[in-house]
Amino acid sequence: MKIIIIVSMNLWVTHNKRSIGIRIENPAIQNHFHYFDFETVASYPPRKQKQVAVVGTTPATIEMTDNITGIGTLERQVIEAALVTTRPFSSSEERSKASLSLEQWTSGSTNAATRPLDSSCWEAYMNIVRISFATTARSSTSSEHSGSSTLSEANVIEKIAYVTSKQPANEQQIQREANGAKLLLLTLLCSKIRREYSRLLRENVNLGRCVFEELITALLSIGGNNQQHPTDDTATLMRACCTAVAAVAVRSSSSQCLNEGVMKMIHNCKTSIALSLGINHGTNQLDIRPFSPTVALTLLADLPGEAQSRNDLPNTDIEALLQMPFDAANMSAADASLDTLQLSLGGFINGGGEVQDSLLCLTLKSLRKWAEACKSITISRLMETSSSNGTSGNSFLSQLVALLSSQSEQRQWSTARHAEKAIIQSANVLTACIDNTSDFCTQSRRSAVSSMLSSIQAPVEFLVAPLRNSEMHSWEDATVALSNLASTLAREEMEDISTCQLQGSFDLIQLLLELQAHPVHNVALPVLEVWLALQDIPTSDRHSSLAAPLYMQLVEVMLNRIAFPPTFISWEEELEIESSDFDEMRRMATDVLIGAYCLLRSAYLETLANVITATSSDDWEIIEAALFCLCAASREACARVKSVANAVSSGRDSPVSSDGNSTALGLTQLVGSSCSSPASSRHHLVLSGMCIFLGSYSTVWASSCPPQSVLEILAYLASAISTPAATEAAGKGMRLLLIAAGPKLARAAASPGADPSSYNFISAALTQSMEAALSTGNPTVMEHVAEGCARVCVQLKDSSQTKTILTSVAMPSVQRSRSSLDAISASSSGGDSGQASIQVEAATQTLISCLGVLKQLIRFCDASVGETHVLTDVLTVVWPCLKDISTNSNCRRNEDVLSRLFGVHSQLLNAVPTLIGPHVKDIISFVVQAYEETFCASALDYVSAAAESFDSEQIFIGWKSIHLPVSKVRVLRNFSATIDNLLLEHGETITKSCIGGISGGAPQILWPSLSECLFAVMLHIISESPSGEPNPVLQSWLRSAMTNNSLLNNSQNITSEIGTSMIQILCDLAKQGVKSKAKAKMVMTDFGKIAKGETTPEALHAYSIS
């Protein structure tokens, strides 16, 4: 080694294990420093740095570098970027930058279909592939025998990984880093092949062939016949390389044949497998480069998936690629692959060690891939034997059945994992082939199915033996695969199986019942489809054992399968099952249970009722499951009971009536015994189920139970509503019960000779129900119960009783609203402490909920009884509270409170416009002020509704042109004067608020409401003008709004010209009447976009022209 000593400069020296290089970082001295030949210096420790202190102040850096030959600058940059991307110690910023640069370089920055083909990228990838796998086989073999590879045997990527590593690393770590980079580059190359290889063949056929050759060479290097026990990294790289080769093969075609590349690859794989088995097919070995059996089978498995990934071909061409005839023998790719795989299966099925077992599993995997991709590979096809292999053997079907029977248990498997994989893959193959129904209704398919069904029985025990084995070894994936196979076989062949004429049909059904009861979700779920398929077969066409007897068994199985675990407390603490699986099973089981009810009818309900009454409360999960099963068929059962009532009223009697009577009797007996025990004594999930049950069968209680029993059921639900798990279910149940039983309660109270206290009982029951709902704090539950109570009240015929009961029902909400309002005022005056804020928030939420209750009560009580409205007394009680809420500063600042308050006023506006007439002026003033303060969208909705109409009887706009009774005209004239005065007082403010909001003062979500409100005001003003033209008042409002300082501050894009144009367009549209509302809202939307700069003023020209 030659060394030059440089004086008057500082030298930084870095060493590595093999060589020394010198790099000068200071440009001022670069011309005075030269490189000489360097030899390996083995004595230097790797990556160690030290400083050599000499006289001088100019720093330079000397570091060890490798003069790596056989690689260009571009290739090295790509490899280094891949290393940075895959190294675990790279920073996220480094990794992201390197990954992005690789992706952009591989795919290009422009559209791949229009940009020039980047040959340099392809050539660089081929160089990288060539140098990546030049010594892979040798290194892998050396590593296997010696435990590590020497650096002299390392390929270029490993060398680059070594010299660029930022941390000390041994040879195994360096090799692992290099393999990670290789895998990434192969993956990127495969993506590039999928995008561009077809085009590459068209534009540069020689380069395209070079790509194929280099990949084949690399694959032979990494997965040659000498690679019997590859390392995990080598196996992963081999699979990635196979994917790339398969991607090229499916895109290699000639003008004469679309699938030429596929067929040649299959031929190569078949010859390779034959040679490994010692079979001579007459092929000249010099014509091909044989793969190892592992590579050949991996390639076969990848071909169908890669063919289906071709986005450049329509589906018909993809199917032709795999199934069109290739040669004079009319053999397609699917035919050739089946021949190859049958040869492989026959060679490896008998075992002989781990390698043979691995190849058997790989053969089955490849067969599954082809069956999933090719609809022509059916169960009939598996019965055929190939004559082109030159060997005699069993059919695919017989061999697959053998692998899924007791014979497989006698086979000597090298590992349990291989035994499990063989079961999984064999079951998946048969499942895919059964799903391919192009051979449906053929004799060959029927023969294949018959063969499988007859094999279920002993001694073969098809499906039975592998299930037993899988359960014994806890092979969950194998059990799932077998369940899918059994379910698919039964579902697709249900017409034949349901008759039980084929031997083994009933055995399959019994096996499916066992699988249905399996605790693993993915095992039990597929079986549900079988029972749905059986339901489609008329009972007259089934074997008698597959009707009522089977479904009685099925109900028992389903009852236990959908039950909660006995130790269940909550989903947060549950470890046995997932909540999503549990919910899915119940959701999917519902249709099956409905089918069971439709077959069994009252026997279904009787069976479940017996379970509920006879089961100990300790077994709460069974009771809850039985309640779920009852609820699943509630709609059908209620329809059955209703049909009985219709038959009785028409004087008809039938077996349906008899069954309906049994149904009603059994249900009423069950509800009587269930409601007799306190709700608090039930498990909380049973109580929730009971509430759902009571609500689901509400029409039965309404038709079959006396009024007193209905009130008792209502009281039971009210007592259950305080249990958190049952709150929502009880609220829904109360609503359904009150809606269904309301007419019955009203008739009973008004009937001649009825107890005068009947109304008191109804009032007490409804009031207690409302109080119970309010105590939950659940707004949805409160509104459900409020709706139910209101619907009962409007059914009552006595107007005084109706108003009294309705007021009694409303009072708890009014009282809670008043208490909440007092709490808000008291806490607000007490300072800004944390405790005060919590109290204000709680009181505010209570107030919001109570306003929601009042809104529902008013909404469903929009009927008049006699001369007066049923809400007269309620309005007297409610109005002072509403007025106090509107004047409370804290409530006016809360948009949620305002929204609910406006909702109550809107319902009053619709229900009792005559009663709130004296208060309209105050309401409008409050609404306008509230909008100015909060920009609450509900305020605009209210103003728009008030300006346009009250409802169909109270029209403010255009009412003079409609022929109405004199009494209605008098009312309308009185109200229109009120609205006129209010608009004259607040019209300019409303106009400014609407236009200012759209120009940027309000969120875009409010634009439709603002536009509608503005246009409603304009229409009303124009309708009052004698000429039907916009009067000076309206024009002055619009000009004032368009020149308002707040509008100009919101947007610099609104000029005076735009303002003038908008005024003209809006006035023209308003003259056309209500029919122009949609276009007016479009104009205002475009105006808002102009203000935001999202569009140009030219957008208004279209409206000006029209």
Side-chain angles (χ1 to χ4, degrees):
M1 180 177 66
K2 302 178 182 178
I3 301 178
I4 297 178
I5 299 177
I6 302 173
V7 185
S8 300
M9 61 181 291
N10 287 336
L11 300 180
W12 289 87
V13 181
T14 61
H15 311 266
N16 76 20
K17 187 173 180 181
R18 293 167 290 159
S19 60
I20 300 177
I22 302 176
R23 186 178 74 233
I24 306 300
E25 291 185 342
N26 191 327
I29 62 172
Q30 281 182 352
N31 293 333
H32 304 287
F33 196 92
H34 302 278
Y35 280 89
F36 291 86
D37 55 323
F38 295 90
E39 299 174 357
T40 300
V41 184
S43 59
Y44 284 162
R47 310 306 297 162
K48 182 178 179 181
Q49 297 183 353
K50 69 176 182 177
Q51 182 176 359
V52 181
V54 292
V55 180
T57 58
T58 305
T61 298
I62 300 177
E63 71 174 13
M64 295 187 178
T65 62
D66 284 296
N67 295 324
I68 300 174
T69 59
I71 184 172
T73 303
L74 175 60
E75 287 84 350
R76 175 156 185 163
Q77 291 175 346
V78 172
I79 291 170
E80 289 182 354
L83 286 166
V84 171
T85 304
T86 56
R87 276 175 172 155
F89 51 78
S90 297
S91 67
S92 58
E93 183 179 358
E94 291 174 334
R95 186 178 294 109
S96 177
K97 183 177 179 181
S99 176
L100 181 61
S101 65
L102 279 174
E103 184 63 34
Q104 290 178 344
W105 174 72
T106 301
S107 59
S109 57
T110 57
N111 192 301
T114 58
R115 64 181 172 85
L117 192 66
D118 186 4
S119 299
S120 63
C121 182
W122 284 101
E123 291 168 353
Y125 262 121
M126 289 308 95
N127 289 333
I128 292 171
V129 169
R130 187 182 303 113
I131 63 178
S132 296
F133 301 104
T135 58
T136 299
R138 182 157 50 95
S139 298
S140 179
T141 304
S142 175
S143 175
E144 180 186 342
H145 293 291
S146 64
S148 64
S149 60
T150 63
L151 283 170
S152 61
E153 295 174 334
N155 61 35
V156 173
I157 294 185
E158 291 166 355
K159 293 178 181 179
I160 295 174
Y162 189 85
V163 301
T164 59
S165 180
K166 294 181 179 181
Q167 297 182 358
N170 56 36
E171 301 302 334
Q172 287 77 15
Q173 291 172 319
I174 291 297
Q175 192 173 52
R176 193 175 301 114
E177 291 178 12
N179 287 337
K182 293 176 190 178
L183 182 60
L184 173 62
L185 293 172
L186 276 174
T187 303
L188 291 172
L189 174 59
C190 195
S191 299
K192 188 175 184 67
I193 290 170
R194 294 186 182 116
R195 286 193 305 267
E196 302 178 17
Y197 189 76
S198 297
R199 183 184 171 196
L200 177 65
L201 280 180
R202 293 193 303 268
E203 299 182 13
N204 193 337
V205 65
N206 291 328
L207 181 57
R209 290 173 178 171
C210 178
V211 170
F212 203 178
E213 287 298 319
E214 288 295 344
L215 286 171
I216 292 292
T217 302
L219 188 53
L220 289 168
S221 174
I222 194 174
N225 281 307
N226 61 330
Q227 296 292 301
Q228 296 298 322
H229 299 282
T231 62
D232 290 341
D233 283 357
T234 303
T236 302
L237 290 172
M238 181 270 292
R239 288 191 292 270
C241 199
C242 284
T243 302
V245 170
V248 172
V250 300
R251 290 165 178 83
S252 300
S253 59
S254 64
S255 57
Q256 293 79 23
C257 185
L258 178 66
N259 60 359
E260 181 178 5
V262 176
M263 293 301 294
K264 288 183 176 180
M265 185 56 60
I266 294 174
H267 176 67
N268 196 333
C269 292
K270 182 175 182 179
T271 304
S272 301
I273 293 172
L275 291 174
S276 70
L277 295 173
I279 301 173
N280 186 2
H281 272 266
T283 303
N284 188 353
Q285 297 186 25
L286 298 177
D287 294 339
I288 66 166
R289 291 184 287 175
F291 302 117
S292 69
T294 300
V295 170
L297 291 169
T298 304
L299 281 171
L300 283 174
D302 287 340
L303 284 173
E306 287 300 323
Q308 291 179 317
S309 73
R310 288 196 62 174
N311 296 326
D312 58 321
L313 294 179
N315 290 336
T316 53
D317 286 354
I318 292 175
E319 292 177 4
L321 184 65
L322 299 176
Q323 302 182 74
M324 69 180 292
F326 173 70
D327 52 20
N330 290 327
M331 179 171 282
S332 66
D335 296 329
S337 66
L338 282 181
D339 279 355
T340 304
L341 293 171
Q342 191 166 17
L343 179 69
S344 177
L345 184 60
F348 303 128
I349 193 170
N350 293 322
E354 185 174 353
V355 173
Q356 298 289 314
D357 290 349
S358 297
L359 293 174
L360 172 62
C361 294
L362 197 51
T363 301
L364 295 170
K365 176 184 176 181
S366 181
L367 180 56
R368 174 179 63 84
K369 296 278 189 179
W370 278 93
E372 290 172 347
C374 300
K375 299 303 180 184
S376 63
I377 302 180
T378 62
I379 195 67
S380 303
R381 189 75 174 275
L382 295 186
M383 290 192 69
E384 302 172 3
T385 56
S386 173
S387 59
S388 62
N389 286 330
T391 59
S392 60
N394 297 322
S395 65
F396 268 126
L397 184 59
S398 62
Q399 292 173 310
L400 292 170
V401 168
L403 288 170
L404 296 176
S405 67
S406 57
Q407 296 180 40
S408 181
E409 295 178 334
Q410 300 169 8
R411 186 183 187 278
Q412 296 298 317
W413 295 96
S414 57
T415 65
R417 178 57 183 158
H418 285 104
E420 180 187 9
K421 288 178 66 175
I423 293 175
I424 295 171
Q425 296 297 348
S426 299
N428 289 340
V429 169
L430 288 176
T431 301
C433 291
I434 294 171
D435 266 331
N436 293 340
T437 55
S438 59
D439 62 341
F440 198 68
C441 292
T442 61
Q443 184 58 42
S444 57
R445 182 180 180 97
R446 183 179 175 85
S447 298
V449 171
S450 177
S451 173
M452 286 188 288
L453 290 174
S454 61
S455 300
I456 295 177
Q457 298 176 338
V460 180
E461 292 188 310
F462 172 60
L463 294 176
V464 177
L467 271 173
R468 182 175 59 240
N469 199 25
S470 299
E471 288 295 293
M472 182 174 63
H473 292 92
S474 300
W475 293 341
E476 183 176 315
D477 291 342
T479 307
V480 171
L482 291 165
S483 177
N484 284 325
L485 172 56
S487 301
T488 304
L489 176 60
R491 187 184 67 245
E492 294 297 335
E493 307 302 323
M494 184 54 72
E495 289 187 7
D496 290 332
I497 292 174
S498 62
T499 63
C500 290
Q501 292 181 359
L502 296 179
Q503 185 181 4
S505 297
F506 191 73
D507 298 292
L508 178 60
I509 295 297
Q510 292 301 312
L511 181 65
L512 288 166
L513 282 173
E514 294 178 16
L515 290 170
Q516 187 67 84
H518 200 281
V520 175
H521 175 73
N522 289 333
V523 175
L525 190 66
V527 187
L528 293 172
E529 296 289 341
V530 176
W531 315 126
L532 297 177
L534 181 58
Q535 287 173 197
D536 294 335
I537 307 295
T539 53
S540 59
D541 295 340
R542 303 184 212 170
H543 190 274
S544 59
S545 62
L546 299 188
L550 171 65
Y551 276 84
M552 288 301 292
Q553 286 184 272
L554 182 59
V555 169
E556 183 180 352
V557 169
M558 296 301 300
L559 176 66
N560 289 278
R561 183 59 187 78
I562 64 173
F564 281 94
T567 57
F568 181 87
I569 298 176
S570 67
W571 288 117
E572 290 75 16
E573 301 177 60
E574 180 57 39
L575 301 177
E576 292 185 17
I577 57 175
E578 295 288 338
S579 61
S580 58
D581 291 345
F582 184 83
D583 293 339
E584 183 182 21
M585 177 58 70
R586 287 201 164 191
R587 185 174 61 254
M588 296 293 291
T590 299
D591 288 339
V592 176
L593 293 169
I594 291 173
Y597 168 76
C598 292
L599 182 65
L600 301 172
R601 294 300 181 180
S602 58
Y604 173 91
L605 302 176
E606 182 182 354
T607 299
L608 295 171
N610 289 337
V611 170
I612 294 172
T613 55
T615 303
S616 168
S617 59
D618 293 336
D619 297 325
W620 63 267
E621 72 279 2
I622 301 300
I623 299 175
E624 191 278 338
L627 288 168
F628 175 84
C629 294
L630 282 173
C631 295
S634 61
R635 186 174 61 179
E636 289 71 22
C638 289
R640 193 75 161 183
V641 174
K642 184 177 180 180
S643 68
V644 173
N646 295 336
V648 171
S649 62
S650 62
R652 299 191 310 269
D653 195 12
S654 67
V656 172
S657 300
S658 176
D659 180 80
N661 289 326
S662 299
T663 298
L665 179 61
L667 288 171
T668 52
Q669 289 176 347
L670 175 62
V671 75
S673 62
S674 298
C675 294
S676 61
S677 58
S680 57
S681 64
R682 298 276 190 181
H683 188 279
H684 63 278
L685 292 177
V686 173
L687 187 59
S688 175
M690 180 62 70
C691 292
I692 297 173
F693 165 69
L694 294 174
S696 299
Y697 286 91
S698 57
T699 57
V700 175
W701 319 140
S703 63
S704 304
C705 293
Q708 185 59 38
S709 298
V710 171
L711 295 179
E712 289 175 359
I713 295 173
L714 185 64
Y716 185 88
L717 290 168
S719 65
I721 204 169
S722 59
T723 302
T727 297
E728 293 192 5
K732 291 180 181 178
M734 293 170 76
R735 172 184 173 273
L736 293 172
L737 180 62
L738 290 169
I739 292 173
K744 184 169 192 172
L745 293 174
R747 287 195 303 269
S751 62
D755 188 345
S757 62
S758 298
Y759 286 110
N760 295 334
F761 290 136
I762 294 174
S763 178
L766 296 184
T767 304
Q768 291 171 4
S769 298
M770 195 69 253
E771 289 176 342
L774 290 169
S775 67
T776 66
N778 188 314
T780 303
V781 171
M782 297 180 193
E783 292 177 13
H784 279 327
V785 176
E787 178 187 347
C789 292
R791 287 181 180 272
V792 172
C793 289
V794 297
Q795 295 287 336
L796 302 176
K797 304 303 181 183
D798 189 323
S799 61
S800 61
Q801 292 289 352
T802 300
K803 289 188 285 185
T804 300
I805 295 175
L806 192 57
T807 304
S808 176
V809 171
M811 278 305 297
S813 299
V814 176
Q815 293 168 354
R816 285 175 180 264
S817 297
R818 175 63 66 185
S819 299
S820 299
L821 192 59
D822 294 341
I824 292 172
S825 301
S827 299
S828 301
S829 61
D832 297 330
S833 65
Q835 185 63 30
S837 299
I838 294 173
Q839 293 175 352
V840 169
E841 179 63 25
T844 301
Q845 292 303 318
T846 301
L847 179 60
I848 292 171
S849 300
C850 291
L851 288 173
V853 170
L854 294 175
K855 178 182 175 181
Q856 290 295 97
L857 287 173
I858 296 168
R859 176 188 174 190
F860 293 100
C861 287
D862 56 352
S864 296
V865 180
E867 294 292 328
T868 60
H869 198 281
V870 295
L871 288 173
T872 304
D873 294 351
V874 172
L875 186 61
T876 302
V877 173
V878 169
W879 192 259
C881 184
L882 297 179
K883 188 173 182 180
D884 290 345
I885 294 172
S886 66
T887 57
N888 186 281
S889 58
N890 289 286
C891 295
R892 291 174 70 118
R893 288 195 298 267
N894 191 301
E895 188 170 342
D896 292 334
V897 174
L898 285 177
S899 179
R900 285 300 177 95
L901 182 60
F902 292 147
V904 174
H905 280 300
S906 295
Q907 290 300 331
L908 289 171
L909 187 69
N910 293 328
V912 285
T914 55
L915 295 180
I916 65 168
H919 308 287
V920 169
K921 183 176 181 180
D922 294 335
I923 297 174
I924 295 293
S925 299
F926 159 63
V927 170
V928 172
Q929 293 171 8
Y931 178 75
E932 291 177 337
E933 294 169 2
T934 63
F935 289 104
C936 180
S938 300
L940 295 172
D941 294 335
Y942 184 86
V943 171
S944 179
E948 288 190 3
S949 65
F950 280 155
D951 74 3
S952 58
E953 294 184 356
Q954 305 276 343
I955 303 173
F956 281 135
I957 296 178
W959 64 271
K960 294 179 181 179
S961 62
I962 302 175
H963 182 70
L964 295 172
V966 175
S967 59
K968 300 296 183 183
V969 171
R970 187 183 308 113
V971 174
L972 289 171
R973 184 177 289 113
N974 293 336
F975 280 108
S976 65
T978 303
I979 293 296
D980 289 343
N981 295 333
L982 288 171
L983 280 181
L984 287 175
E985 181 181 351
H986 300 290
E988 183 174 1
T989 301
I990 294 173
T991 304
K992 286 182 178 180
S993 297
C994 291
I995 292 178
I998 295 175
S999 65
Q1004 188 167 347
I1005 194 174
L1006 297 181
W1007 288 5
S1009 297
L1010 291 165
S1011 303
E1012 193 165 338
C1013 181
L1014 175 63
F1015 197 64
V1017 171
M1018 293 182 65
L1019 287 177
H1020 184 78
I1021 296 298
I1022 291 178
S1023 69
E1024 295 298 317
S1025 175
S1027 62
E1029 297 284 337
N1031 58 26
V1033 174
L1034 177 59
Q1035 292 181 340
S1036 67
W1037 290 355
L1038 293 170
R1039 282 195 298 271
S1040 176
M1042 289 295 179
T1043 58
N1044 189 24
N1045 290 331
S1046 61
L1047 169 63
L1048 299 177
N1049 291 334
N1050 288 339
S1051 173
Q1052 303 300 319
N1053 299 318
I1054 304 301
T1055 63
S1056 59
E1057 291 80 5
I1058 294 175
T1060 302
S1061 178
M1062 279 294 301
I1063 293 173
Q1064 186 61 47
I1065 293 171
L1066 288 173
C1067 289
D1068 290 342
L1069 291 173
K1071 285 190 294 184
Q1072 298 176 23
V1074 179
K1075 65 181 182 180
S1076 299
K1077 182 195 290 187
K1079 185 174 286 188
K1081 293 173 74 172
M1082 293 169 60
V1083 173
M1084 295 303 294
T1085 299
D1086 285 340
F1087 175 70
K1089 291 181 178 179
I1090 293 171
K1092 294 178 67 176
E1094 294 179 357
T1095 189
T1096 61
E1098 284 72 20
L1100 300 179
H1101 290 174
Y1103 304 102
S1104 299
I1105 294 172
S1106 62

